[in-house]
Amino acid sequence: NKNDLIAAVADSSGLTKADAGRAVDAVFSSIEGALKGGGEVRIVGFGRFLLLNALQQLVATQELVKQSRLKHQSSQNLKLVHH
């Protein structure tokens, strides 16, 4: 949770919890601002943040389900033939 993150930042950086809280808020605010502008935020070694609207998420989920079903069907139809 956010409080745990602030405490960890304070402990590892030597900042006060108040200063660490402002730093954490600033990072999240920057990420949020970039995403609201339609951008994407990449943090090397960590990952990326991007917004997906509900329709994109639904399509992505349906595509994963479809791929899973196709893999399952392919493995069921695979037969070993000896000559």
Side-chain angles (χ1 to χ4, degrees), residues 27-71:
V27 169
F28 287 134
S29 179
S30 297
I31 292 169
E32 182 180 26
L35 295 176
K36 282 183 178 178
E40 149 179 322
V41 176
R42 288 180 185 259
I43 300 174
V44 176
F46 180 75
R48 68 184 181 144
F49 298 88
L50 63 143
L51 288 181
L52 295 176
N53 67 37
L55 180 58
Q56 288 173 313
Q57 290 175 338
L58 179 62
V59 169
T61 301
Q62 288 176 337
E63 185 60 31
L64 287 174
V65 169
K66 181 180 174 183
Q67 289 175 4
S68 176
R69 285 183 184 151
L70 287 175
K71 281 184 183 177

